[in-house]
Amino acid sequence: FLYVDTGAYRDMAGDLVGKGFEVARAAEDVFGAKGSGTSGTAGGKISFTGRNGDFLTLKGKGEGAIQNARLVELPLFLGILSLIFGEDSSRHYFNEVLLKYDVADGRFRAPSKDGIEIRSPGIKLLGGGTMDFSGNLDLTLEPRVLDFQIPIVEQIFSLLKKGLAQVRIAGDLAKPKVSFATAAGILQIGIEGGEPESNVPLPSDLKKGAAGAEPQKRAESKDLPPGPK
């Protein structure tokens, strides 16, 4: 239901449920880019209250999912894939996204541990963060390898196994900056690739693993096997 008071109080409330949305049709509106090879179905629900005309007063919670998907050409997912699998990552893709979030102060906020789950056949990312109503991201995700036979950029494989790695995502949803934080530093990759950055403060939970981290080598691209159809 959706309730809107057009009188003096201007109260509004909603409890909305949707399913069966085609990701390919909504890609440009939601992710800011067309994805000709993108597929999948999305659904979710949200409950909220606030004041009509003042979106900063909205408070609520919700959840959503993208399933049976092929997510690779959209900037957000392309940046993560390039980071983990190398620049030539077009043959690998994410096939499921799960979200749990709250709404307050003009932001969608996912719990830091498991508010966001992004899966591919060989790896999943767990974490959380925020996205404001303008589409600006501030996310931290922890990669977990599900299949050790998949090719991954050599410099991060051992760190993934030890849990000494985080994927940091910041900026506009249509063109996010994706970086890989390890105990030895932060490697800035981005959609078009980039050079390693130094002297960048690390998250506190990664600093403690610095002593056991292995020296990093420059990333090498891997030719990946075709993903499942």
Side-chain angles (χ1 to χ4, degrees), residues 13 18 22 32 52 79 109 119 127 130-131 149 175 189 221 226 229:
E22 295 185 20
N52 185 23
R109 184 182 304 275
R119 284 179 169 266
T130 64
M131 182 182 75
Q149 301 303 314
K175 194 174 182 181
I189 300 293
S221 295
K229 297 182 180 179

Side-chain angles (χ1 to χ4, degrees), residues 110-193:
S112 59
K113 296 298 182 182
D114 60 355
I116 301 173
E117 181 173 345
I118 304 175
R119 284 179 169 266
S120 78
I123 197 168
K124 71 176 179 180
L125 298 99
L126 294 172
T130 64
M131 182 182 75
D132 66 22
F133 290 172
S134 297
N136 295 306
L137 300 170
D138 183 6
L139 308 177
T140 301
L141 304 173
E142 178 185 340
R144 298 184 182 179
V145 177
L146 304 176
D147 182 356
F148 285 95
Q149 301 303 314
I150 62 172
I152 298 177
V153 175
E154 290 181 359
Q155 76 181 102
I156 70 171
F157 183 66
S158 62
L159 296 172
L160 290 181
K161 290 192 295 183
K162 296 176 182 178
L164 299 176
Q166 289 182 343
V167 174
R168 309 297 296 277
I169 306 168
D172 190 344
L173 177 62
K175 194 174 182 181
K177 294 181 180 179
V178 182
S179 59
F180 183 74
T182 73
I186 289 184
L187 179 65
Q188 188 74 33
I189 300 293
I191 303 303
E192 300 178 353

